Every structure is written in structure tokens, then in C-alpha cells.
Amino acid sequence: MRKHNFCAGPAALPTAVLERARDEMLDYQGRGLSVMEMSHRSATYMAIAEKAEADLRDLLAVPANYRVLFTQGGATQQFAAVPYNLLGPGGRANVINTGIWSKKAIAEARHLFGDVHVAASSEAGGHLAVPRPEEIVLSNDAAYLHFTANETIGGLAFDYIPGNAPGSEERGPRRPDGSEAPLVCDMSSSILSGPLDVSRFGVIYAGAQKNIGPAGLVVVIVRDDLLDRARTDMPSLFSYQALADAGSMINTPATYSWYLAGLVFEWLKDEVGGLAAMDAINARKAARLYGAIDASDFYSNPIAIPNRSRMNVPFVLNDSRLDKPFLAEAEAAGLLNLQGHRSVGGMRASLYNAVPEAAVEALVAFMADFEKRRG
Ligand SMILES: *Cc1c(COP(=O)(O)O)cnc(C)c1O
């Protein structure tokens, strides 16, 4: 019996995808072996890899001047790979700090290259709202502006694209001297949750284990004019140019994770009906849970309403002595992984694409019942 899984990552996968993987596990489409056991250079595997990329391009309407890379090392490796690929000579990383993941991106760029310009930060306000567009100030030596679209731990999401504020003509963040800097986005916990205008970004990257597939894979989408800005002293496996030249097969890729990601893309296209349909479902799920939280004096979420994450919904019980019984009873009711991140405590329900509306209904019903009995 599959229970309702609200894990922040590695996260729920669509049951239909797991069933298909099960059916193809021992003998992939009559080839007599598992996808896990195939050469990544075989025609059969190349077809799997190419179909996955084609479906992802189709879902996100990725323009032709962007390369799609399937790499490894987690989103955390991109905290290093991004500056190595984009800093060039003399440029400086510019990063917006909206929480724990952006801080890690800042720390890694600082560790490797010394100086990072924090272009805006929501830290003083406790990361309860993202910086306003006018608070973002780049340095004149900005090689790029990095931001985290959805802070997975804090449940804080941008409601606009930095440098591309609603109603403005800007098509990218500007340095004080007026020149445009490429926009880099860590989209690990929100990619594919709805339609996206890829053309507004220089680089998008996402670890797979939230909304794409199993852990072990990272998707990078990079505009091709940014491929020539890399430092020469970097590990060759980090190089976007080398990955693009090799079709993401400099070395053995995470073949099975890539295959499963492909099944998720097919599911999004064929079962869900694309990202506009996914967007509507995600909006309903988030509205249902935040609505229940806001309607009660027993549960609360402190994030500014326009910046509430649709993917990760942290909430606290007004009496933290009830945290343990809440989690134990939720688990007994088939609602798994609701504990908040170890650094913040409380609860967190992650509502990624693969979490069905029925799971949210079950959670809301459990929360109401718990409040009635214990509130
Ligand atoms: C999970 C996550 C990461 C880290 O991913 P790893 O694959 O564990 O390195 C980075 N950024 C965001 C926004 C995340 O949600």
C-alpha cells in the first residue's frame, strides 16, 4: 500500500512512473536486459536519453539557443560549477540571499573565489518575504546574478523574475552601469511546477530528486552564448561546454536516473497534459493547504502571502509540545515525512508534482481532526 509522501527530497514519484519502471525493470522492451545494465553508448540507451531531452524541451518550450545538460553531483555541485563556468576573468558572483540554499551558494562561491556580492537579502526580516525588485543592486563587475526560485526549507518563493519585474521592459538584471548580466536560477524545488519563460534566464539548474526524478541527476539549461566564459582552471567534468560537446556523456552518466526522469517527462506530457495543467493542479493543492492553515488558530505559516511556496509548505502548531504526537499520529494515518527541516523544526508538507490532490485532502482532514481532538 503506497502512503501519502510529503518528503522534501528525495520526494514522491508518480505511481504510474514507478509501475512502468517496474514493468520494464528486468527486460526493457524485449531487449532482454534492464536499463541499468545497458551501455550508455548503445542505440537503445541513446534513444532513451534523447527522448528525455526532447520531452523536457517540449514541456518547457526550451528555445533552440539553449543546451540541456544531464549531469551529476547534485544541485550543490552547481554552487561550484556556476562560478567556474561564468566568472571568466575578473568577474564577481552576485547572489540574492533568501535562505539556506542561497547561503550555501554564496558560501561555495566565496570559498572558491573569495569575494561574492550579495545583491539583496531577506535575512534581516527572517526570510519571510523576498527582496523587492528595487532592493536588488548588482555590482559593476557582476558576472551573473544568482537566485533561488523556491527556498525549499523556508518555503519562500519568488513571485517575479529578478531583473524582469512585472510591467517592466527589462529582459534581465542590469549592473549599475546599465549593462545586462545573465540571470542564474537554482530551480531545484520548483522546476516543472508550471510554465516557464526560459528565455529570461542564462542558466537554470535543478537537482532531480524533487520534481524531476530520482536523486543522482542534475538538469542544467544554459544559453549557448554563455559557454565561452569558463575559467580554464576548473575540473573538466564541471564544464558546460565539455558537457554540451559530449551530449552530457563525458563519462558514464546517471543512466537509470536519466531514464526515470524521461518517464516523468512523459507522464507530465501524456497523463497530466503539460505544465499549464500541472500549474492549475499545484495552485489548487497549495490553496487547499494554506487555506486550512489560515482558517485555524492552531496552525500557522509566517511567510508573506505572495511569496508562499506552492511546493514546500512549512507550518507550526501553536503548541510545540504537540509536534511529536502530531507526527506520530500522521504517520499512523499514512501521512509520511511531515517533519520540518532539522534546522528549523516544526512541520513541512512538500507538495511536488507527484503528490496528488487526494494526498492534500487527506492531510487537511487529518489536521482538522487532530486540532479537534488536541486543540
Ligand atoms: C535540495 C536543494 C539543493 C541541494 O540539492 P542536492 O542535490 O542535495 O545537492 C539545492 N538547492 C535547492 C533549492 C534545493 O531544494
Side-chain angles (χ1 to χ4, degrees):
M1 219 292 265
R2 281 174 64 71
K3 300 180 176 173
H4 295 308
N5 180 10
F6 299 96
C7 193
L13 285 162
T15 300
V17 164
L18 295 175
E19 285 168 345
R20 167 111 178 254
R22 176 198 60 200
D23 293 345
E24 294 180 340
M25 172 71 76
L26 296 184
D27 176 7
Y28 177 74
Q29 299 189 358
R31 305 304 200 286
L33 76 175
S34 162
V35 173
M36 271 181 259
E37 304 167 297
M38 280 174 197
S39 165
H40 55 295
R41 313 271 180 204
S42 64
T44 304
Y45 190 78
M46 290 298 284
I48 291 171
E50 281 162 18
K51 169 121 187 359
E53 177 176 340
D55 283 344
L56 179 60
R57 283 185 169 277
D58 193 29
L59 280 165
L60 288 171
V62 177
N65 62 326
Y66 284 74
R67 309 300 292 265
V68 177
L69 312 175
F70 290 83
T71 182
Q72 301 178 56
T76 302
Q77 183 165 291
Q78 295 304 309
F79 297 163
V82 164
Y84 268 123
N85 277 282
L86 297 185
L87 277 187
R92 192 151 50 126
N94 278 217
V95 183
I96 300 174
N97 174 15
T98 49
I100 289 171
W101 290 116
S102 8
K103 272 196 108 152
K104 290 192 184 218
I106 292 167
E108 185 70 348
R110 209 165 254 158
H111 164 65
L112 291 167
F113 301 107
D115 199 11
V116 171
H117 172 70
V118 178
S121 175
S122 51
E123 191 163 332
H127 298 305
L128 300 182
V130 303
R132 292 188 306 279
E134 63 275 16
E135 291 175 317
I136 302 172
V137 180
L138 277 65
S139 65
N140 266 328
D141 61 356
Y144 58 85
L145 176 67
H146 177 289
F147 77 110
T148 308
N150 179 66
E151 283 283 356
T152 317
I153 294 168
L156 181 71
F158 272 86
D159 55 337
Y160 67 95
I161 301 175
N164 296 266
S168 108
E169 297 286 296
E170 299 282 277
R171 293 289 298 186
R174 304 245 163 216
R175 304 180 184 93
D177 66 13
S179 59
E180 190 178 324
L183 187 62
V184 176
C185 185
D186 176 357
M187 225 176 264
S188 295
S189 51
S190 53
I191 194 166
L192 297 172
S193 61
L196 183 69
D197 182 357
V198 173
S199 72
R200 308 233 158 186
F201 298 85
V203 176
I204 294 166
Y205 65 87
Q209 69 273 25
K210 279 100 186 209
N211 244 351
I212 294 177
L217 180 74
V218 182
V219 170
V220 180
I221 303 172
V222 52
R223 207 172 61 218
D224 57 14
D225 66 292
L226 298 175
L227 292 173
D228 64 359
R229 305 192 178 184
R231 297 172 57 97
T232 52
D233 60 351
M234 72 152 118
S236 42
L237 270 176
F238 285 19
S239 163
Y240 295 158
Q241 179 77 67
L243 282 162
D245 289 347
S248 299
M249 294 190 188
I250 300 174
N251 65 333
T252 315
T255 52
Y256 199 73
S257 295
W258 189 336
Y259 153 76
L260 269 172
L263 296 187
V264 171
F265 302 152
E266 262 186 63
W267 171 81
L268 275 170
K269 283 179 68 174
D270 302 342
E271 304 291 322
V272 178
L275 295 188
M278 193 71 252
D279 190 57
I281 295 168
N282 285 330
R284 285 201 299 271
K285 289 189 299 187
R288 186 81 178 96
L289 182 51
Y290 284 114
I293 292 169
D294 290 345
S296 118
D297 298 325
F298 187 76
Y299 303 105
S300 62
N301 166 289
I303 303 295
I305 288 173
N307 298 135
R308 283 174 160 183
S309 167
R310 302 192 312 180
M311 296 286 101
N312 311 98
V313 183
F315 61 93
V316 293
L317 279 57
N318 66 10
D319 179 355
S320 63
R321 286 170 305 182
L322 292 174
D323 285 4
K324 277 211 171 92
F326 179 91
L327 288 167
E329 291 182 31
E331 188 163 337
L335 307 167
L336 305 183
N337 293 312
L338 286 166
Q339 68 277 24
H341 190 266
R342 59 189 186 281
S343 63
V344 294
M347 309 298 152
R348 175 175 49 168
S350 293
L351 310 182
Y352 298 120
N353 288 350
V355 174
E357 291 188 88
V360 180
E361 287 306 325
L363 173 59
V364 166
F366 169 79
M367 288 168 65
D369 180 59
F370 187 86
E371 177 176 353
K372 207 162 82 198
R373 289 184 291 107
R374 310 294 287 259

